[in-house]
Amino acid sequence: SGAIPEVIGPDNYLVAQGDIPALTRALIELSSDAKIRKLLGRYNRMRAEERFDAFVQARRLEQLLQKRL
């Protein structure tokens, strides 16, 4: 699993490798519910912008380096 749970966050769909029934359920739910797709889309965009933006990462790295010096 590595960093996958950290990247996708707690409020998304994560199925175990090879768990075809769980993947099928998740895909059916997502494909049949526009509201969930829209909410997840907004949430994940916001999360990505807050956590993985290049400027955010640069600031975090700068803060880390300043603590070490």
Side-chain angles (χ1 to χ4, degrees), residues 1-61:
S1 67
I4 299 299
E6 176 189 341
V7 171
I8 70 164
D11 299 317
N12 283 290
Y13 293 85
L14 180 63
V15 298
Q17 181 177 351
D19 190 344
I20 303 303
L23 177 60
T24 302
R25 285 190 302 275
L27 289 172
I28 289 171
E29 184 173 348
L30 286 170
S31 67
S32 64
D33 193 332
K35 185 176 179 180
I36 288 177
R37 287 193 311 271
K38 191 176 232 183
L39 287 171
L40 284 175
R42 281 191 206 136
Y43 168 78
N44 287 312
R45 180 180 181 108
M46 181 184 70
R47 182 174 164 79
E49 288 172 350
E50 289 175 354
R51 297 187 61 151
F52 304 107
D53 177 77
F55 293 109
V56 171
Q57 293 298 318
R59 269 193 306 265
R60 287 181 181 159
L61 178 59

